[in-house]
């Protein structure tokens, strides 16, 4: 029904506006396209950047109102409208950071629970953070339209986003986060489109960890997230389920990630 669709879009736009401080561009043109014979709320979405921020969201014509509550696709696509302008898209960054925030922001706007979103992140990282078939994340990014390994790219980039976010928050004792870097990069990009090296330098500088981003992008060996999970108090109990421990050293930092 129209109310469910409007609520879905309004929630996603409101979340993007709160993240960036205002809705990027002031207004957004959102086209909703039903897909016959499909029950899933979110089927496919894409951004159109021409005269103003715009997006097309394909949804299942058979989906019911509750299916749209907390659905990831609206948040993902409408977060994209605030991505910093770049001369050449660094796919690991644009899609990876957006995939990370599609879960973080759904927890923040309380359309999904914090523990569910950590479970979703854990599942994505478990399957796609490590290099596959001997290819680095940088290689996957540069050859995306040749290899079509979209899921690996999205979640490999999201895995890097978590590592950078934790490093920034730890270094600043909770005073700064990846949120601040994303807002700053957007403002820089509006003045002059960014290069990939601009993004890498900004992330590593904020994290206080020179080489962190480059090492992740170029890694050919598995990336051990076990120590990070233990510090954050994230304890896997299933393929896409975790237990959260509040006695972990960085438990407060973990909670802060999922809150405004």
């Amino acid at each position: 029904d129209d109310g469910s669709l409007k609520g879905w879009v309004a929630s996603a736009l409101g979340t993007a506006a709160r993240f960036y401080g205002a809705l990027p561009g002031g207004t957004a043109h959102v086209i909703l396209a039903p897909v016959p014979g499909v029950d899933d709320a979110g089927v496919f979405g894409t951004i159109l950047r021409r005269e103003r921020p715009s997006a097309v969201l394909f949804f299942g014509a058979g989906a019911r109102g509750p299916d749209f509550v907390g659905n990831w696709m609206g948040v993902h696509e409408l977060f994209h409208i605030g991505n910093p302008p770049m001369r050449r898209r660094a796919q690991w960054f644009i899609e990876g950071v957006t995939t990370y925030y599609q879960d973080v922001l759904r927890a923040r706007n309380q359309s999904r629970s914090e523990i569910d979103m950590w479970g979703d992140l854990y599942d994505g990282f478990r399957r796609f953070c490590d290099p596959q078939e001997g290819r680095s994340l940088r290689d996957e990014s540069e050859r995306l339209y040749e290899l079509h390994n979209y899921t690996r790219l999205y979640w490999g980039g999201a895995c890097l986003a978590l590592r950078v976010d934790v490093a920034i928050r730890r270094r600043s004792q909770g005073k700064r986060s990846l949120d601040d870097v994303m807002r700053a990069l957007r403002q820089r990009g509006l003045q002059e489109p960014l290069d990939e090296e601009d993004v890498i330098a900004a992330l590593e500088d904020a994290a206080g960890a020179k080489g962190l981003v480059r090492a992740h992008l170029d890694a050919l060996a598995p990336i051990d997230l076990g120590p990070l999970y233990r510090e954050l108090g994230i304890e896997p109990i299933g393929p896409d389920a975790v237990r959260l421990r509040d006695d972990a050293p960085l438990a407060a930092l973990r909670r802060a990630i999922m809150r405004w």
Side-chain angles (χ1 to χ4, degrees), residues 113-168:
S113 72
E114 181 178 338
I115 196 167
D116 281 350
M117 292 298 88
W118 279 119
D120 196 56
L121 288 170
Y122 168 72
D123 183 38
F125 300 161
R126 174 183 63 83
R127 293 186 292 147
F128 300 109
C129 187
D130 290 339
Q132 299 179 1
E133 299 181 3
R135 286 190 295 266
S136 69
L137 184 60
R138 191 191 297 271
D139 191 29
E140 297 277 14
S141 183
E142 292 174 353
R143 300 172 61 193
L144 179 63
Y145 299 125
E146 170 194 347
L147 299 171
H148 305 292
N149 292 335
Y150 295 97
T151 310
R152 152 66 178 148
L153 177 82
Y154 284 34
W155 284 101
C159 181
L160 174 56
L162 171 66
R163 297 180 69 197
V164 171
D165 197 8
V166 170
I168 295 170

Side-chain angles (χ1 to χ4, degrees), residues 65-95:
D67 299 329
F68 293 94
V69 178
N71 179 267
W72 67 272
M73 198 177 75
V75 173
H76 181 103
E77 295 302 337
L78 297 176
F79 182 85
H80 269 314
I81 67 177
N83 289 156
M86 299 190 69
R87 291 189 179 89
R88 181 172 176 269
R89 281 170 62 92
Q91 301 285 4
W92 61 266
F93 170 66
I94 295 296
E95 294 296 351

Side-chain angles (χ1 to χ4, degrees), residues 11-75:
S11 176
L13 286 173
T15 300
R18 185 167 182 180
F19 181 89
Y20 291 109
L23 186 66
T27 60
H29 182 198
V30 181
I31 301 167
L32 296 171
V35 181
V38 177
D39 294 335
D40 292 338
V43 177
F44 177 76
T46 188
I47 289 294
L48 306 174
R49 293 185 181 89
R50 291 194 173 91
E51 294 182 1
R52 62 175 171 171
S54 55
V56 180
L57 303 180
F58 293 87
F59 67 94
R64 301 179 66 83
D67 299 329
F68 293 94
V69 178
N71 179 267
W72 67 272
M73 198 177 75
V75 173

